[in-house]
Amino acid sequence: MTVIKLIFVFSVLIFVVRQLAKIIREVNGQQFQNVLASQSKGSLLIMLVLGFVSITPMLIYDFSIVKFLPTKFAPGYVIRSGWVVNTFTNLLGFGGLLGASLRAHFYGKGATKKQILYAISKVALFLISGLSLLCFVSLIMIFGFRIGTVFAHYWIWLVGGAAYFPSMFIFTRINNSSFFKDLTLKQELTMTLGSFMEWGSALGFFILIGYLMHLPIDFALVIPIFVVANVAGVVSMIPGGLGSFDIFVIIGLGFIGVARSDALVWILLYRLFYYLLPFIVGTGLFAHDTGHKLNEFLDELPRIIIQRIAQVFLTGFMYFSGVMMLLFATVPNVVIMNRLYIRLVPYSIFFVSHLMNIIVAFLLIGLGSGIWARTKRAFGPTVAVVILSIVNTWFNEAFTWRMIMLFVIILITLWLSRGVLYRDRMANSWGALIINGSIFIITFTVYTLVGIAANRHSPLHFDAAYLFPSEAIWLVGFIGLLIAMLVLFVTNIYLTANRPAWLTQPFDAERVKAVIDQFGGNEDSHLAFLRDKQIYFYQEEGVDQVFFMYKPIADKLIIMGEPVGNSEKIGAAIEDFMKTADKQGLKPLFYEIDQDLTMQLHESGFDFIKTGEDGLVDLKQFTLSGKRHRGERALMHKFDREGFKFEVVEPPFSQTFMKAIKNISNEWLGGKVEKGFSLGFFDNYYLNQAPIAVMKNADDEIVAFANIMPDGNQVTTSIDLMRSSSKAPSGIMDGILINLYEESAKKGFKYFDLGMSPLSNVGTSRFSFTQERIVHLIYQYGYRFYSFEGLRSYKEKYVDKWESKYIAYYRGSSLVFSVLQVLLIVNRPRNQTPTRIPKLLDFISGAENKSNI
């Protein structure tokens, strides 16, 4: 039987192909193109919508099938699966084999093979019952009402088709086998009604196409033609009745006066909107279902890749369309003569209005930044603008079918990209600001120059017609540019709105002290009390475990030093901070961190660059004895002879004491503005958090001071502000340091931190990273400005151990921008926002050097 069936199908197929070839040869090609081109956009839009609507009755089959199965399926799932099954069966068919296979695939969960087979078979009996009823209708029309008697010779086809439903219905009702025991009369009538609606909607849609083509015929005569052609298609068993249906329709329409070129266009539109386009949607749904299973198997990787591609494509399209619209608005007469521009136009969108072109162009560019930054707030406005642009372009005279494909792709990418837009807001990155700002500035400049050239009274005037149609249109566009600037500004405000509270929360000294007291601090934790940085706390079960000190700039959060707190929770705290920052479109950047944390961050997606080395004095080994510190030993003897005294003063400090060291600080600064962030500044609150070391002369007058910076661990101590008056002798700072070394050793500290030697030993290897070798050039030639090399040589006489320090920045961020942003943060005067300077410009030697250690 299989062999006989295949021979029959191929025999019919050969016959059909030969007949179609004969018909096509007889069709006037130019006439066919003219008929196809004459269809209005409105008619095509109606065909598109109603073509999809006419498919929906088929879903009744799938809702009927699941009633025979033990598993309960959600209505949405049945609709999606049913659409795939029916559109595939419509176009590909294969005698019902494909439909049965697909339904077994979608509805097989929780059911045995026998249950699936029984359910599909029961529904399959009713698939053509609606066509059988239409055969009855056609027979009544022809022989009862004498409508379409020209088709009376097809009576055998109609009788054969009409006989199917009553025969099948009687058989199912009188058969008492177990196969039909759960097939109720209501279910049979439901499936029969569904089949009748399916075939009836297909017939109605077919007639509608002819009506929209404005063919001067009696459309009642089309009913028997359509019915007979579908009976022939079913009998042929060719998928979709392709060929057999078409031949019967073309011949039948010829009997009622429809030209073959019109008949071909009619069938083509029917195939396109009833078969092909719904099948494409079904293919997408099937790919989505299959992709979902594949995505779960591959741990979400395909979804991430597809969404990222969609996001990149959508952003690129929005920028591309914006630039194309701006070119057309800026120099229209030039671009329409450019072959490349003409070729690219069909892949863009545009408005007839000159003013709207400019405004929408910058709106697309502004929203494109939001899409690129993965901002949820950008999705809704982008959908609205793209759909508005598509509708406008649709009704434009320059509309082409190529644009339809582009619009379909854009809408698909919009849908796909929605999953990758997860951030609550957008942070302004320097890259996006530079790109968007450059586009506006260049457009404004070029447009202004064009306006000058178009002015006949301008000395730069030349044939303006080559550039611009008229001065009036130019003026409208200039107003549009001013409006566009406002649009860009408002769009940016919208995308960056809702700044989270944790970015601006006030300093909480008690929480900071509690973390340091419980878990210990580090060499930078004391800088929190400068109160010039924001503090982010990581909690577990309502208890603060770790905090970060940071300052925002553009789309970065510059984190000062390493996280402070519970060392066992550092990894979790960093992960939490990264997620929280990422939701706001912000990227953490760690400044002056050690090698261990740098490697940990590298595994989490950070790149890094070495910025210098931190000098540590081993207090257990420090001694003035021996040749190494012969000069310092002599210096200390000199201070003793001249009556200088060292003293550590504990807080809280008296007003007299604070006034004395304030005067020293002001004299030392010499009118220069202090800096902060990674370096302390004179602040009463900050200085009252720890002891201050002072040197007094023989008259008991303070001539130099340094505030002590404990790390909270009794392991390392350091100093921050180190300042002296004009009355202090040369080398007074060495006197403070040496006394502090001895005092700290007595208190049990292991190391004394002399701060960082910036850019030293960076990029000295021929195998160093390129960026590190660039930094080495700064170190090598920058001493003229900052005496970097002198700084290291001064510290070398005390330092026993150098520890590398790094900047860790988010992978994918621009290194140039990251470094510049760090420099802006750490080098801005304290009375500006933000206010910072790095530890890079440390004290070098004696009273001549104006820098903290």
Side-chain angles (χ1 to χ4, degrees):
M1 289 302 297
T2 303
V3 173
I4 293 172
K5 187 176 180 179
L6 288 173
I7 292 173
F8 173 74
V9 170
F10 279 109
S11 300
V12 173
L13 191 59
I14 292 171
F15 168 77
V16 166
V17 170
R18 291 186 63 184
Q19 291 300 312
L20 273 178
K22 181 180 178 181
I23 291 171
I24 292 172
R25 282 196 300 269
E26 295 174 2
V27 172
N28 185 309
Q30 185 61 45
Q31 187 180 6
F32 174 80
Q33 292 181 13
N34 293 338
V35 173
L36 186 61
S38 66
Q39 307 308 308
S40 68
K41 296 172 187 175
S43 297
L44 294 174
L45 183 59
I46 293 172
M47 293 178 197
L48 175 66
V49 174
L50 295 184
F52 279 78
V53 172
S54 61
I55 294 291
T56 54
M58 296 183 182
L59 300 176
I60 295 175
Y61 302 140
D62 295 85
F63 280 102
S64 298
I65 286 176
V66 296
K67 289 182 179 180
F68 295 115
L69 297 173
T71 307
K72 301 299 180 182
F73 296 94
Y77 179 81
V78 176
I79 291 172
R80 291 195 305 272
S81 304
W83 189 277
V84 173
V85 172
N86 291 294
T87 54
F88 274 50
T89 305
N90 252 6
L91 191 66
L92 304 177
F94 297 112
L97 178 62
L98 179 63
S101 301
L102 286 173
R103 286 190 168 103
H105 167 74
F106 286 118
Y107 308 128
K109 183 179 180 181
T112 64
K113 291 182 179 180
K114 182 178 180 180
Q115 288 174 318
I116 297 169
L117 179 62
Y118 273 25
I120 293 173
S121 300
K122 289 169 188 173
V123 174
L125 292 171
F126 293 86
L127 292 178
I128 60 172
S129 58
L131 180 61
S132 179
L133 293 175
L134 285 177
C135 288
F136 273 112
V137 173
S138 299
L139 287 170
I140 293 171
M141 288 177 61
I142 295 172
F143 297 103
F145 295 95
R146 310 303 293 174
I147 299 173
T149 54
V150 68
F151 305 113
H153 58 283
Y154 289 125
W155 68 269
I156 191 170
W157 295 87
L158 295 173
V159 170
Y164 175 80
F165 173 68
S167 302
M168 182 270 301
F169 184 77
I170 294 170
F171 177 75
T172 58
R173 298 314 303 164
I174 65 174
N175 194 303
N176 294 322
S177 66
S178 60
F179 180 82
F180 294 106
K181 67 179 181 179
D182 58 346
L183 188 60
T184 65
L185 177 62
K186 181 181 178 180
Q187 290 172 330
E188 289 193 37
L189 293 177
T190 300
M191 289 186 285
T192 301
L193 177 62
S195 179
F196 184 76
M197 290 175 63
E198 174 204 348
W199 291 99
S201 61
L203 169 61
F205 181 63
F206 186 78
I207 293 174
L208 175 70
I209 292 173
Y211 175 78
L212 293 174
M213 290 175 65
H214 305 292
L215 297 175
I217 60 172
D218 182 0
F219 288 102
L221 301 177
V222 176
I223 296 176
I225 299 173
F226 183 84
V227 173
V228 170
N230 273 292
V231 171
V234 171
V235 172
S236 71
M237 291 187 292
I238 297 174
L242 187 63
S244 54
F245 170 84
D246 306 69
I247 289 173
F248 273 88
V249 168
I250 291 171
I251 294 174
L253 291 176
F255 289 154
I256 61 175
V258 178
R260 287 192 170 177
S261 56
D262 289 336
L264 278 175
V265 172
W266 194 342
I267 293 172
L268 175 65
L269 294 174
Y270 176 67
R271 292 288 186 190
L272 175 65
F273 291 110
Y274 187 78
Y275 286 92
L276 185 59
L277 293 182
F279 170 76
I280 291 173
V281 174
T283 302
L285 293 174
F286 182 73
H288 179 268
D289 179 76
T290 306
H292 178 71
K293 295 175 181 177
L294 181 64
N295 188 57
E296 289 181 345
F297 179 74
L298 295 177
D299 197 24
E300 298 286 310
L301 186 59
R303 179 186 62 82
I304 294 171
I305 294 174
I306 291 173
Q307 288 183 340
R308 179 60 173 166
I309 292 173
Q311 178 213 6
V312 172
F313 174 80
L314 184 60
T315 305
F317 170 78
M318 294 174 72
Y319 270 87
F320 167 75
S321 293
V323 171
M324 293 288 286
M325 295 166 76
L326 288 176
L327 285 174
F328 185 73
T330 308
V331 281
N333 288 359
V334 174
V335 297
I336 61 176
M337 298 173 63
N338 187 287
R339 293 182 179 179
L340 178 61
Y341 183 88
I342 297 301
R343 289 186 178 183
L344 293 176
V345 160
Y347 303 102
S348 181
I349 53 180
F350 53 85
F351 288 76
V352 175
S353 167
H354 184 62
L355 183 67
M356 285 299 294
N357 262 318
I358 295 176
I359 294 174
V360 173
F362 280 107
L363 191 57
L364 285 171
I365 289 170
L367 291 173
S369 299
I371 295 293
W372 179 251
R374 306 184 184 186
T375 310
K376 287 187 292 188
R377 299 170 64 86
F379 182 73
T382 300
V383 171
V385 171
V386 171
I387 291 179
L388 175 65
S389 303
I390 288 174
V391 171
N392 178 80
T393 308
W394 175 282
F395 292 104
N396 193 284
E397 294 179 359
F399 169 81
T400 64
W401 286 101
R402 193 184 305 173
M403 288 184 175
I404 282 189
M405 297 305 300
L406 174 66
F407 294 158
V408 170
I409 293 172
I410 295 304
L411 292 174
I412 291 174
T413 54
L414 266 173
W415 177 69
L416 288 174
S417 64
R418 79 193 191 287
V420 80
L421 306 178
Y422 64 91
R423 289 178 176 144
D424 295 333
R425 59 187 290 273
M426 180 183 79
N428 282 319
S429 69
W430 281 8
L433 289 175
I434 289 173
I435 292 173
N436 295 351
S438 298
I439 292 174
F440 183 83
I441 291 171
I442 292 171
T443 302
F444 191 86
T445 303
V446 171
Y447 200 81
T448 303
L449 292 176
V450 169
I452 294 173
N455 189 340
R456 296 180 179 179
H457 303 290
S458 169
L460 299 176
H461 172 71
F462 62 91
D463 185 11
Y466 178 69
L467 287 173
F468 221 83
S470 69
E471 294 181 18
I473 295 178
W474 178 89
L475 181 60
V476 171
F478 188 79
I479 296 172
L481 273 177
L482 297 179
I483 297 174
M485 180 174 66
L486 180 62
V487 167
L488 265 181
F489 182 70
V490 171
T491 302
N492 188 266
I493 290 176
Y494 168 75
L495 294 174
T496 58
N498 297 332
R499 190 178 177 90
W502 59 268
L503 279 174
T504 54
Q505 63 183 358
F507 178 72
D508 191 333
E510 295 304 319
R511 292 180 70 181
V512 171
K513 289 178 181 177
V515 172
I516 295 175
D517 291 343
Q518 183 175 358
F519 302 108
N522 57 35
E523 65 266 31
D524 297 310
S525 58
H526 194 69
L527 293 174
F529 298 102
L530 286 171
R531 301 177 296 174
D532 65 339
K533 294 172 279 291
Q534 297 297 321
I535 308 295
Y536 179 87
F537 291 93
Y538 169 72
Q539 295 183 329
E540 286 189 2
E541 298 180 356
V543 178
D544 293 330
Q545 301 288 326
V546 178
F547 70 80
F548 300 80
M549 300 178 289
Y550 69 91
K551 200 74 176 177
I553 179 172
D555 62 336
K556 303 293 193 308
L557 296 178
I558 311 297
I559 300 166
M560 179 59 227
E562 298 166 19
V564 181
N566 189 345
S567 59
E568 296 180 358
K569 304 295 182 181
I570 294 294
I574 291 174
E575 184 74 15
D576 174 74
F577 189 49
M578 288 173 61
K579 288 180 179 178
T580 304
D582 188 53
K583 288 280 286 183
Q584 305 300 322
L586 298 167
K587 301 178 178 67
L589 186 152
F590 290 80
Y591 175 63
E592 286 192 17
I593 58 175
D594 64 19
Q595 183 171 315
D596 291 339
L597 182 58
T598 300
M599 292 301 101
Q600 181 180 342
L601 291 170
H602 187 61
E603 294 177 358
S604 299
F606 284 77
D607 281 331
F608 60 91
I609 181 172
K610 185 177 178 182
T611 55
E613 294 179 332
D614 206 32
L616 298 177
V617 179
D618 190 335
L619 297 178
K620 291 183 178 180
Q621 296 182 9
F622 178 78
T623 176
L624 288 177
S625 304
K627 294 182 179 180
R628 180 182 180 187
H629 295 299
R630 181 171 50 191
E632 288 74 28
R633 186 168 61 248
L635 182 65
M636 295 302 291
H637 289 322
K638 175 187 173 184
F639 289 150
D640 290 338
R641 290 194 305 270
E642 295 178 357
F644 283 91
K645 292 176 292 184
F646 172 80
E647 183 180 343
V648 175
V649 184
E650 297 288 338
F653 306 117
S654 67
Q655 291 186 359
T656 303
F657 177 81
M658 293 301 296
K659 184 178 180 181
I661 63 173
K662 176 65 173 175
N663 291 334
I664 294 173
S665 178
N666 290 340
E667 183 182 348
W668 185 86
L669 288 170
K672 295 180 181 178
V673 180
E674 290 192 280
K675 318 223 171 167
F677 191 72
S678 62
L679 186 68
F681 48 81
F682 198 98
D683 177 77
N684 287 349
Y685 176 83
Y686 172 62
L687 293 175
N688 267 279
Q689 303 307 309
I692 295 178
V694 299
M695 287 288 282
K696 297 181 178 179
N697 59 18
D699 297 327
D700 204 35
E701 180 182 5
I702 299 175
V703 294
F705 74 92
N707 69 309
I708 297 173
M709 289 180 62
D711 69 350
N713 286 322
Q714 289 298 113
V715 175
T716 305
T717 187
S718 182
I719 56 175
D720 190 8
L721 279 72
M722 194 174 190
R723 299 175 179 181
S724 60
S725 71
S726 58
K727 297 179 180 180
S730 178
I732 192 68
M733 298 303 184
D734 287 278
I736 290 180
L737 285 174
I738 292 171
N739 278 290
L740 280 173
Y741 296 159
E742 295 172 347
E743 287 286 330
S744 300
K746 291 177 183 178
K747 293 179 179 179
F749 286 96
K750 187 176 180 180
Y751 293 107
F752 194 97
D753 187 357
L754 282 179
M756 199 170 70
S757 178
L759 313 178
S760 57
N761 287 349
V762 178
T764 55
S765 169
R766 59 182 294 229
F767 301 108
S768 298
F769 295 131
T770 301
Q771 59 265 33
E772 290 187 341
R773 302 189 73 170
I774 294 173
V775 171
H776 177 67
L777 292 177
I778 298 174
Y779 170 67
Q780 190 173 7
Y781 298 106
Y783 68 92
R784 298 176 185 173
F785 303 100
Y786 299 112
S787 192
F788 288 162
E789 292 178 344
L791 173 60
R792 183 178 178 88
S793 63
Y794 171 79
K795 293 182 179 180
E796 283 281 10
K797 62 184 179 182
Y798 294 121
V799 171
D800 299 296
K801 179 182 179 182
W802 292 99
E803 289 187 345
S804 298
K805 292 291 182 180
Y806 300 86
I807 289 177
Y809 57 97
Y810 213 70
R811 188 172 300 159
S813 299
S814 166
L815 173 62
V816 174
F817 287 167
S818 297
V819 171
L820 287 175
Q821 286 161 347
V822 168
L823 292 177
L824 280 177
I825 283 288
V826 300
N827 283 299
R828 237 174 241 173
R830 183 194 161 206
N831 58 356
Q832 296 182 17
T833 303
T835 53
R836 328 295 148 237
I837 192 173
K839 288 183 179 178
L840 305 183
L841 310 183
D842 285 4
F843 162 75
I844 295 183
S845 64
E848 296 81 16
N849 181 55
K850 304 291 185 180
S851 174
N852 292 24
I853 188 164

